Amino acid sequence: MRPPQSVRISTPFAKLKNSMTKRTAFITGASRGIGRACALALAAAGHRVILAARAVDKLEEVAAQVRAAGGEAHVVSLDLASADSIKAAFSSASKDFGRIDILVNNAGVTKDGLAVRMKLDDFESVLKTNLTGAFLCCQQVLAPMMKERWGRIINISSVVGETGNAGQANYVSSKAGLIGLTKSLAQEMASRNITVNAVAPGFIETDMTSVLSQDVKDNMLNRIPLKRLGTADDVAAAVVFLASEQSGYITGTVIDVNGGMYM
Ligand code: NAP
């Protein structure tokens, strides 16, 4: 039975929860790390989540976790390096679940090396997955969002997309490109009430960073004023906010989640 109105909105938090609209969120790279944390947090905020990546078995594990917590999750196979796979993933998602309201372009790869020796394929393949892939995902959701006059696109960039980083010319180009894409789309889409923002994580503890040596990690830590590495949940909190109704007057911006390592 519905509690009386005065009880339902008795605290500011309850007020916020009562005003929340259930949306459908599509998260790329949701099988682990930051994408997984975003999926769990968006589901906890009351949204239906569509989890996408190449490893479907890993996505099923995340989906099971969402469902165990009372949320709704669906899994689609997606390879961002293939335009056909992107089309197929979105057409299957929208056939089954209708319009996508929130897109989190999170998936990303690295192939580090000094520019002087970097193979063309190592440069192009990182751009293809991280930047072209994200662009094609945006294209898949824009028309239905425009029709609905509501949408949230959140691109996961990186602190190095703002600062540059030796040994990552390909990755940094893709992450800086995502910021340019964010600002351009934000301008194109603002009149349709679609916001487009980027989140730039600093050094976050995930599989991507677990391969770095202790020396590199210690060196990073020295450059972080908050004196700790970030967690995937730190990034997810910013994503949930940018996906919410409450962020509706924020577009074309980059939220840094980096412990102060770049201000
Ligand atoms: P991660 O642990 O390596 O996870 C990457 C995710 O992307 C996985 O779910 C992976 O799943 C998916 N993925 C990779 N290639 C894909 C492809 N071709 N098609 C579809 N999905 C693909 O990475 P993370 O550390 O969570 O990072 C997430 C995002 O945050 C990335 O864009 C990264 O650049 C950015 N970021 C991370 C940090 C950090 O410190 N960790 C800092 C700044 C920015 P499958 O392999 O199953 O496809």
Side-chain angles (χ1 to χ4, degrees):
M1 201 175 71
R2 255 164 98 103
Q5 187 74 1
S6 57
V7 175
R8 284 179 67 229
I9 57 167
S10 58
T11 65
F13 176 70
K15 214 176 202 169
L16 189 68
K17 259 201 128 181
N18 294 341
S19 72
M20 225 148 46
T21 309
K22 182 174 182 154
R23 305 274 185 189
T24 300
F26 189 108
I27 304 114
T28 71
S31 57
R32 56 178 196 264
I34 293 169
R36 175 178 169 279
C38 290
L40 294 174
L42 286 165
H47 303 299
R48 173 191 295 126
V49 289
I50 301 174
L51 315 174
R54 292 167 302 180
V56 171
D57 52 333
K58 290 271 175 359
L59 293 174
E60 289 293 358
E61 286 170 26
V62 180
Q65 237 181 307
V66 169
R67 291 180 199 125
E72 194 183 342
H74 306 272
V75 163
V76 289
S77 163
L78 168 76
D79 181 0
L80 285 171
S82 152
D84 287 344
S85 166
I86 293 172
K87 257 192 211 148
F90 280 88
S91 98
S92 133
S94 46
K95 198 163 89 213
D96 291 348
F97 322 116
R99 191 191 61 253
I100 287 153
D101 308 296
I102 300 162
L103 169 65
V104 184
N105 278 316
N106 160 78
V109 292
T110 52
K111 268 188 197 164
D112 297 351
L114 292 174
V116 68
R117 280 194 297 272
M118 190 175 282
K119 302 253 187 308
L120 176 62
D121 182 56
D122 288 348
F123 189 85
E124 286 185 340
S125 64
V126 169
L127 266 289
K128 191 170 189 186
T129 297
N130 296 5
L131 182 58
T132 311
F135 169 68
L136 293 175
C137 290
C138 291
Q139 275 196 323
Q140 292 293 319
V141 299
L142 286 177
M145 283 180 178
M146 286 165 77
K147 202 161 161 226
E148 185 62 18
R149 293 190 172 264
W150 199 97
R152 299 277 188 268
I153 296 176
I154 300 141
N155 296 319
I156 306 299
S157 177
S158 168
V159 63
V160 299
E162 300 174 288
T163 63
N165 199 26
Q168 291 196 305
N170 48 2
Y171 179 77
V172 168
S173 301
S174 72
K175 293 299 178 180
L178 274 179
I179 293 176
L181 175 67
T182 298
K183 294 184 180 194
S184 300
L185 283 185
Q187 290 178 31
E188 287 185 23
M189 292 297 137
S191 65
R192 308 302 172 103
N193 195 34
I194 300 166
T195 68
V196 188
N197 291 290
V199 173
F203 194 111
I204 310 297
E205 284 186 284
T206 67
D207 287 357
M208 187 178 267
T209 48
S210 66
V211 294
L212 299 174
S213 70
Q214 195 54 47
D215 263 8
V216 172
K217 288 185 187 174
D218 290 345
N219 187 26
M220 288 281 182
L221 209 48
N222 283 333
R223 294 167 41 207
I224 301 173
L226 283 175
K227 288 293 161 220
R228 69 171 175 88
L229 303 183
T231 65
D233 288 341
D234 290 326
V235 182
V239 169
V240 170
F241 170 65
L242 288 174
S244 70
E245 306 292 332
Q246 287 76 17
S247 70
Y249 200 56
I250 300 173
T251 196
T253 197
V254 182
I255 295 194
D256 291 319
V257 182
N258 63 22
M261 75 186 282
Y262 171 74
M263 300 180 184

